[in-house]
Every structure is written in C-alpha cells, then in structure tokens.
Amino acid sequence: MTGLIDTHQHLILRDRFGYAWADTIPALSGRQFAPEDFDSATADCSIVGAVYMEAGVDDPDYRAEARHVARWVRSGRYLGQIASCRPEKPDLADWLDECASLGVIGFRRILHVMPDSLSQTETFLAGLREIGRRGYTFDLCVRADQHGIAANLLRACPDQQFVLDHCGNPDIADDAIEPWCQSLSALATFPHLAIKLSGITANARADQQETAHLSPYLDRVLDLFGANRVVWGSDWPVCTLGMGVARWISVSLDYLSTLSTAEREAIAATNAVRVYQAV
C-alpha cells in the first residue's frame, strides 16, 4: 500500500483563534497543535497526503480560520480544506463565493453540539442544497443518537455527497454497539453517503484502546458501506484523547492489511480523492 490520505486533520492555533470546546479537555487545553507538531507525531508513519478539517474555532472566526489555512493549501501541504459554514445564515452564498479561492473542497457544520432543530429548518436545507449544487461535499458530525436527523438531511438532499464523520460516533465506552449498528444500517442505505474511519478511539475507555475492542466497529462499517464508500482520517489532535495518532495509524494499517489490495487502496487513498475531488 502506498500510504494513507488523512481526510480529517485539525490544527489548534491558539496564537490566532479561540477554541472554547477544547478548553475543558485536559489533553487539549492550553496547547498549540501546529503543522510541525503533526509532522513530529507522525514522522515514522504512512501519511502521503492530507485534507484539513475545520477545528470548531470560536464564532465569528470560522472564516478567518479558512483564510489562514488557505496558505497551506496553496503551498501543497494540504490537498484542500473542509471549511466551516452556516447553512442557516442568509450570507451563505457570499461565503461560498469566497471559498472558491481558498482551496475549499467541502464544508462542515458541527451538529452534535447544536440543537437538533437547527438542521431541520427549510433555510438550513436550502443552504445544504446550494452547497451541493456548487459541487461540494458536506461532512456530517453527529452523535449516534442523532442518526435520525442525519437521515432527514440525506433524504432532503439526494443529489449531494455527504460524509459521516467518526464512524457515526458509536458509544464504545458503554459498549453500545447494537443501537449504533441499527441506526447506522439505515444510514448506509443512502448511496450518496460515505463514512470516515476516524475519531472512534476518543469514544473508548482506556482499557478499550486496542484493536480487539475497535475491530468489531470497523467490521460493521465495512459490512454496511463496503470498501468503496469508506475514507480514513486521523482526527488529530483529538485522537490524543484515545490512543494517539501514531498508534491509531498503526491499528488502522493492521486492520487494512486484512483486506484485499483493492479494498486497502480504496480506503487508504483513492476514495478520498474521489469523494472530496481532491487533487
């Protein structure tokens, strides 16, 4: 295998932006996570390309974050960026216009920290459809108990490519595999939804940070979606809440090694290029 394309790499740049969500997490609070820190943490790993994922900066700085990251896209560090957006706002079109020059290849509105009603309004849905009409993906970041609202978005926007982050956030710590699998099965029936192998170690207890505990969840994802609808992501630096990025990469590569060559290459890299239209 040639290597992994990381479709979910964050930065925490405290010298520029605020991150209230991270301030309450000891492993992230007060710390800077810059590009050189990722390079150091993955020096011996198999990352061959990356997509930047917006990091939930404090409002109203999400646009400033995308403008800042654009310089790394232009330099070739990132294949593109997934920028934050507000589909419910009337100025969405202006933001989409600007993002055309910022190396943006997709958008995300973090929904697991917002009221469920936000994403169910006709204004929000119209914004999503406009994002899709312009050829962008939309990453869905929802909890397992919010899979129903994700399904509503998928039904309302049948012509748009969606990506479900973090395997749909199973509650691994409470061993809640069956409720997650049942609702994930319903989401998998939507052909315009891909899923991301990322983020699950942060949902696991300390005694579950090993392949034996994580493989059943990865198996369900592959069984439901098939290898051609799965992409991979590090979720750095949030993955430091679990086993850390180097260990997650090692576990991922070990898991992928059990698949066919075509399946490995699809999940590791080629799906990312196709789904996000990253070059």
Side-chain angles (χ1 to χ4, degrees):
M1 190 172 70
T2 55
L4 297 163
I5 290 181
D6 182 0
T7 66
H8 209 97
Q9 188 180 127
H10 303 291
L11 299 175
I12 295 182
L13 307 173
R14 293 186 178 277
D15 56 339
R16 288 183 172 271
F17 308 113
Y19 303 85
W21 66 270
D23 293 340
T24 60
I25 302 174
L28 304 177
S29 179
R31 294 183 60 187
Q32 177 99 341
F33 293 89
E36 57 269 22
D37 300 313
F38 181 83
D39 293 344
S40 177
T42 60
D44 299 321
C45 300
S46 301
I47 303 295
V48 297
V51 172
Y52 180 77
M53 172 59 74
E54 62 91 12
V57 301
D58 296 345
D59 278 338
D61 287 341
Y62 70 91
R63 296 189 181 198
E65 178 197 30
R67 292 167 185 148
H68 185 69
V69 170
R71 68 190 182 110
W72 282 308
V73 179
R74 295 184 188 112
S75 73
R77 177 175 184 90
Y78 294 115
L79 299 171
Q81 64 168 315
I82 299 167
S84 185
C85 68
R86 303 293 182 266
E88 71 276 16
K89 298 293 186 182
D91 60 351
L92 174 68
D94 292 338
W95 180 225
L96 299 184
D97 289 342
E98 181 179 351
C99 283
S101 65
L102 299 179
V104 172
I105 57 176
F107 289 93
R108 183 171 79 156
R109 175 70 155 117
I110 300 175
L111 297 178
H112 71 80
V113 296
M114 304 303 297
D116 289 355
S117 58
L118 173 75
S119 65
Q120 305 302 293
T121 66
E122 186 52 44
T123 300
F124 191 98
L125 294 176
L128 272 191
R129 294 186 189 106
E130 179 61 17
I131 290 170
R133 187 187 70 79
R134 298 195 188 204
Y136 293 111
T137 62
F138 188 83
D139 271 56
L140 290 167
C141 192
V142 295
R143 301 185 309 271
D145 64 330
Q146 294 176 306
H147 285 181
I149 71 168
N152 290 341
L153 298 180
L154 291 161
R155 277 190 290 267
C157 305
D159 299 320
Q160 174 158 2
Q161 177 67 62
F162 288 86
V163 181
L164 183 63
D165 292 347
H166 310 326
C167 298
N169 277 308
D171 187 356
I172 300 175
D174 284 343
D175 297 308
I177 189 169
E178 290 308 324
W180 162 81
C181 186
Q182 183 174 357
S183 57
L184 192 69
S185 298
L187 293 182
T189 64
F190 293 94
H192 54 302
L193 178 67
I195 193 167
K196 190 174 297 185
L197 295 184
S198 63
I200 60 173
T201 69
N203 297 338
R205 302 188 308 266
D207 63 304
Q208 296 172 318
Q209 301 293 328
E210 56 185 73
T211 305
H213 283 288
L214 301 180
S215 288
Y217 295 88
L218 303 181
D219 287 342
R220 297 292 182 93
V221 167
L222 266 292
D223 288 344
L224 290 172
F225 283 81
N228 288 330
R229 287 202 287 156
V230 180
V231 298
W232 182 88
S234 70
D235 196 27
W236 183 86
V238 182
C239 62
T240 59
L241 305 181
M243 61 178 57
V245 65
R247 177 62 180 151
W248 170 237
I249 291 171
S250 177
V251 167
S252 298
L253 292 175
D254 285 347
Y255 183 81
L256 293 179
S257 71
T258 66
L259 307 179
S260 71
T261 299
E263 290 171 329
R264 287 197 302 272
E265 294 294 342
I267 295 170
T270 56
N271 289 347
V273 174
R274 174 176 50 82
V275 168
Y276 287 112
Q277 301 182 56
V279 295

